[in-house]
Amino acid sequence: MAQAKPSRMARIRNLGIAAHIDAGKTTVSERILFYTGRIHKTGEVHDGQATMDWMVQEQERGITITAAVTTCPWKNHDIHLIDTPGHVDFTVEVERSLRVLDGAIAVFCAVSGVQPQSETVWRQASRYAVPRLIFVNKMDRVGADFIRVLDDISQKLHAKPVAIQWPIGAEAQYQGVIDLIHMEALYFGGEHGEETTKEPIPAHLQADAESARERMLETLGDIDDGIAEAFLAGEDISPEKICEVLRRGTLSNDIQPALCGSALKDKGVLPLLDAVLDFLPSPLDVPPVTGKNPKTGEKLSRAPSTKDPLCALAFKVAMDDGRRHVFIRIYSGSLEAGQAVINSTNNKKEKIARLFKVHAHKKERLDVARAGDLVMAAGLRFAKTGDTLCPTDQLIQLEEMEFLKPVIAIAVEPKTNKDLEKLGEALTKLADEDPTVEVREDENTGQTLLAGMGELHLEVLVDRLAREFNVGVKTGQPSVVYRETIREPTEAEETFERVIDEEKNERIYGRVKVALRPLQRNEGSSFDDQRTPTNKDEHPLGDRFFDAIQEGCMEALEAGPLDGYRVQDVAVTLLSIDTDPEHTTEVALRVAAGNAVRSGLKTGRPVLLTPLMSVEVSAPEEQAGSVVGDLSSRGARIEGVDSDESGQSMIRATAAMTSMFGYSTKMRSLTGGRGSFSMRFDRFDALE
């Protein structure tokens, strides 16, 4: 029995599929579900029938909006699969999925290669050190080029892709792949490519295959001395040895094995499934998670074992049939339906009412979930994305997740008095689900503002209000969310003094002097104590007073002096304080510190920061000039124009979000409907 638990976890793969929009990742997911027997008929994205795109909004638009979770069996293993969105407006779904996954498949289009959202998801995976496989999809498309895409990945993503396959043909002549590990050709037959035939390598591809295998072995020789010595000596290297080193290099993130295929044409997904088992980690291959005791600050770790105390992370909140459900990754221990736990992030007690194994939007009841599992729980009232669940007597808090702030907002108001009663609750639920959704009241107009990551994001949210929550709303024109900062260093000093009771001589007093300094863009804001030794001796600060001053300073950065937008990229330095032993309080110091920062912001030449977007437009070469001209007229800065063999031009630019409203209609008009574009948030910056 002692060996059964480790072997169970060794046969688990927590896997995500991520890519730029339209690279084909949902189609890859659909084929994986079919080949593993999880579904018995494949549905296509363009028909709105894909299993993992279960939301009405996804089916109508033919895109993935929410990360969908499922579990499927393959060769005595359990693959917990998350299909993530590719559209920039829903990047939060990728972020929180990668936070809890052990491995990922990065899907790239064989024609387009690395696209803007490809870079975003790759950076997210690198931030969490997630081992990856590369799958170059759409090898049947005109202009498909496996090696060009791998070169693109290497140059733009600073990655180290290692081709373990070689395509047999390309475009309309794409037939299958050559397995460079076993040096054999693989062809995919049957109604849905479920039958793999192994044949000798075609004679006209023998030289290419041998050359590609040599490059693979050279790369592996950098990881393993045994392979390097055998390769230089001209000795045979067994497939088992190659797989062992490939796995080791993948788990350490030194390399990324690269495969190719056409998911839509049912070619190449079966070897990809085998590669998931061979090269991506099980929960046992992942280092223990680390956190801290929220009360003492002591650093702690939890091993991927059912013997360690429970440690679980809530990574997604979802409304299912109107009820609140929370997706959980269990890192250690086990969790039972009915079990009481504590949310160590907010110190609130919770109870697991029910546990479910999930397949897209379908649920299967569970009695218990163990280390390595991804499950959904009902009954958690307070848990939000990034919260840690653990036993009350074994506290641990994992690192919380950070998310991008909304950049665009619309005014929403109810159509009827009946809608008024339901609107507030519905908006609260949407913000509870999605950390990149913000609901606030406009101080000037009193309107309710719904903020999100882009026009499509807001469009989907409003659609969900009507369909899921049965709330009719009227919306105003989108407005941009700005930021503020300062241009010049400045100093400010403020005193806060209030008489509480004259007769008893009760008053509160505090004086704070600060310096403000602008930082590099996107560097964030900081707080530092640089008082002189004399000031520190005369006015010592305990933890409570120091925390009060820091809180006052940072709270003041929440609303800038120009239009009340959040202030960023400012270093706040505490220069001196004045206290009275009898009358100084935390409140007095916090208010004085906040007022000092506000005064400094006004004198530091404040400036408004506009959200700038990274834009990439694909258009026929003959229309590229018109597209560039239109972007320039919108104030965009053209970063470059590249052409490929298929006659398409790729225009890269940076533009203010305000100038890009409604761009899709104009772009389609300029390109006769043959163009496409993607846009992602780049940074907040001042317009020259």
Side-chain angles (χ1 to χ4, degrees):
M1 291 296 292
Q3 296 300 316
K5 292 179 181 177
S7 65
R8 183 194 73 88
M9 270 198 284
R11 291 182 282 107
I12 290 177
R13 297 292 183 273
N14 289 314
L15 171 70
I17 300 184
H20 184 90
I21 189 170
D22 203 35
K25 60 188 166 30
T26 298
T27 305
V28 172
S29 300
E30 197 74 7
R31 296 307 183 270
I32 287 176
L33 296 181
F34 176 78
Y35 294 139
T36 58
R38 201 65 180 80
I39 60 176
H40 302 289
K41 178 184 178 183
T42 57
E44 305 304 345
V45 175
H46 54 267
D47 293 330
Q49 299 296 316
T51 305
M52 302 298 271
D53 286 350
W54 58 270
M55 293 176 65
V56 175
Q57 293 82 1
E58 294 176 313
Q59 294 167 355
E60 290 179 347
R61 292 166 176 79
I63 62 171
T64 301
I65 291 172
T66 184
V69 183
T70 190
T71 300
C72 47
W74 183 246
K75 296 185 176 179
N76 202 31
H77 286 67
D78 283 332
I79 298 176
H80 299 157
L81 178 69
I82 299 183
D83 177 33
T84 64
H87 196 285
V88 63
D89 284 11
F90 309 104
T91 300
V92 63
E93 295 287 339
V94 186
E95 180 80 20
R96 56 187 176 186
S97 297
L98 289 172
R99 172 70 169 79
V100 298
L101 291 171
D102 300 328
I105 298 173
V107 180
F108 296 86
C109 173
V111 180
S112 303
V114 176
Q115 297 169 277
Q117 191 65 2
S118 309
E119 298 184 57
T120 301
V121 299
W122 194 270
R123 285 197 305 270
Q124 289 170 315
S126 296
R127 181 161 61 250
Y128 295 119
V130 177
R132 277 145 280 179
L133 296 178
I134 292 169
F135 185 67
V136 180
N137 193 28
K138 301 189 177 184
M139 284 298 301
D140 59 309
R141 289 269 302 274
V142 175
D145 190 329
F146 180 57
I147 294 302
R148 176 174 54 78
V149 173
L150 296 191
D151 289 341
D152 205 24
I153 292 170
S154 178
Q155 293 168 12
K156 293 182 179 178
L157 304 181
H158 307 291
K160 200 162 188 179
V162 178
I164 62 173
Q165 292 180 346
W166 190 261
I168 301 176
E171 302 179 344
Q173 285 73 46
Y174 178 70
Q175 300 174 48
V177 298
I178 295 172
D179 179 350
L180 298 178
I181 299 173
H182 299 88
M183 288 303 280
E184 57 190 9
L186 305 179
Y187 298 93
F188 309 98
E191 185 178 354
H192 296 287
E194 67 273 20
E195 298 173 4
T196 303
T197 303
K198 300 178 181 180
E199 297 183 10
I201 298 172
H204 69 285
L205 291 176
Q206 186 70 40
D208 288 340
E210 290 176 357
S211 177
R213 190 173 196 270
E214 285 187 6
R215 288 195 297 272
M216 175 186 72
L217 294 175
E218 285 177 0
T219 303
L220 297 184
D222 295 334
I223 299 172
D224 185 87
D225 291 339
I227 282 189
E229 293 169 2
F231 178 72
L232 292 174
E235 299 172 359
D236 288 337
I237 303 172
S238 69
E240 291 76 18
K241 179 64 175 178
I242 294 174
C243 287
E244 184 266 318
V245 178
L246 277 168
R247 179 177 178 79
R248 195 192 329 149
T250 305
L251 298 187
S252 63
N253 269 305
D254 291 323
I255 58 171
Q256 296 82 35
L259 304 88
C260 62
S262 169
L264 187 63
K265 296 299 176 65
D266 306 309
K267 292 180 172 65
V269 179
L270 282 170
L272 179 64
L273 264 171
D274 289 337
V276 166
L277 305 190
D278 290 340
F279 308 126
L280 290 183
S282 74
L284 293 175
D285 298 311
V286 178
V289 291
T290 57
K292 65 179 181 180
N293 184 311
K295 292 185 176 180
T296 65
E298 176 192 1
K299 292 185 178 180
L300 301 169
S301 66
R302 294 286 186 265
S305 166
T306 53
K307 295 180 180 179
D308 269 31
L310 170 69
C311 177
L313 186 75
F315 68 93
K316 179 175 177 175
V317 177
M319 298 299 162
D320 187 65
D321 293 331
R323 296 189 179 95
R324 191 177 194 270
H325 292 76
V326 179
F327 285 88
I328 298 171
R329 164 68 193 265
I330 302 176
Y331 287 102
S332 63
S334 58
L335 187 63
E336 297 181 5
Q339 182 175 338
V341 297
I342 190 167
N343 184 330
S344 61
T345 306
N346 57 28
N347 197 34
K348 290 184 181 292
K349 293 183 179 179
E350 300 264 29
K351 186 173 183 180
I352 308 294
R354 293 175 300 280
L355 284 173
F356 303 96
K357 182 187 290 187
V358 181
H359 175 51
H361 64 297
K362 299 176 182 177
K363 305 189 294 288
E364 177 185 330
R365 289 285 289 268
L366 289 173
D367 293 325
V368 61
R370 298 180 176 86
D373 287 341
L374 295 174
V375 296
M376 186 169 76
L380 297 172
R381 295 184 297 158
F382 307 110
K384 295 184 179 295
T385 301
D387 287 358
T388 306
L389 303 176
C390 60
T392 55
D393 60 344
Q394 296 281 350
L395 292 180
I396 185 173
Q397 182 182 346
L398 303 179
E399 183 182 356
E400 296 182 52
M401 295 187 233
E402 294 184 3
F403 303 105
L404 294 173
K405 297 296 183 181
V407 295
I408 183 173
I410 54 173
V412 293
E413 59 182 57
K415 287 184 177 180
T416 67
N417 287 333
K418 184 179 178 182
D419 292 321
L420 175 61
E421 299 172 2
K422 298 185 291 184
L423 178 59
E425 182 182 353
L427 290 175
T428 300
K429 288 182 177 180
L430 289 176
D432 190 24
E433 277 190 337
D434 188 341
T436 60
V437 171
E438 190 176 282
V439 180
R440 65 180 186 276
E441 184 177 300
D442 189 303
E443 295 181 359
N444 299 318
T445 65
Q447 290 178 304
T448 299
L449 298 180
L450 177 63
M453 297 305 297
E455 289 182 278
L456 179 60
H457 192 196
L458 294 178
E459 178 188 316
V460 169
L461 291 172
V462 171
D463 191 47
R464 290 186 62 195
L465 283 173
R467 297 199 196 199
E468 291 180 34
F469 299 98
N470 196 28
V471 178
V473 295
K474 294 182 287 186
T475 60
Q477 288 296 313
S479 61
V480 173
V481 178
Y482 296 88
R483 294 285 184 270
E484 298 182 28
T485 192
I486 58 174
R487 288 173 169 160
E488 294 180 351
T490 183
E491 294 183 4
E493 182 178 12
E494 291 289 339
T495 300
F496 182 79
E497 186 172 12
R498 288 289 184 275
V499 176
I500 306 300
D501 189 324
E502 289 187 6
E503 293 183 1
K504 296 181 179 179
N505 191 30
E506 289 185 6
R507 63 189 181 95
I508 58 175
Y509 169 82
R511 181 187 61 77
V512 175
K513 183 178 182 180
V514 298
L516 305 184
R517 175 172 53 88
L519 298 175
Q520 293 294 319
R521 201 62 67 236
N522 293 328
E523 193 172 338
S525 295
S526 63
F527 176 81
D528 188 25
D529 181 4
Q530 291 188 8
R531 292 179 296 145
T532 63
T534 300
N535 189 258
K536 289 181 178 180
D537 290 339
E538 293 177 353
H539 305 280
L541 275 180
D543 290 342
R544 292 187 299 113
F545 282 177
F546 180 84
D547 291 344
I549 292 174
Q550 183 173 6
E551 287 171 9
C553 291
M554 302 313 286
E555 284 173 4
L557 299 179
E558 290 297 311
L562 296 177
D563 289 305
Y565 292 108
R566 185 179 289 111
V567 178
Q568 69 174 47
D569 306 330
V570 172
V572 181
T573 302
L574 178 62
L575 297 180
S576 68
I577 65 169
D578 185 49
T579 61
D580 183 324
E582 294 184 6
H583 302 293
T584 295
T585 65
E586 296 170 54
V587 171
L589 287 174
R590 184 168 64 244
V591 174
N595 289 342
V597 170
R598 292 184 187 94
S599 298
L601 291 173
K602 292 176 182 177
T603 60
R605 290 188 63 209
V607 61
L608 205 62
L609 302 178
T610 300
L612 299 183
M613 312 301 288
S614 177
V615 183
E616 195 165 282
V617 184
S618 176
E621 285 184 358
E622 56 269 27
Q623 274 101 37
S626 299
V627 171
V628 169
D630 179 69
L631 287 171
S632 298
S633 71
R634 296 169 183 264
R637 186 175 71 227
I638 307 301
E639 308 285 356
V641 181
D642 301 313
S643 298
D644 60 30
E645 297 175 359
S646 65
Q648 287 286 108
S649 290
M650 189 65 71
I651 301 107
R652 291 173 285 105
T654 302
M657 173 179 269
T658 49
S659 68
M660 297 302 291
F661 286 146
Y663 179 69
S664 58
T665 302
K666 181 66 174 179
M667 183 273 304
R668 282 194 293 267
S669 173
L670 289 173
T671 62
R674 298 168 61 199
S676 63
F677 87 105
S678 62
M679 185 169 65
R680 63 178 173 86
F681 172 74
D682 185 48
R683 67 188 187 279
F684 284 101
D685 213 340
L687 294 178
E688 298 299 331

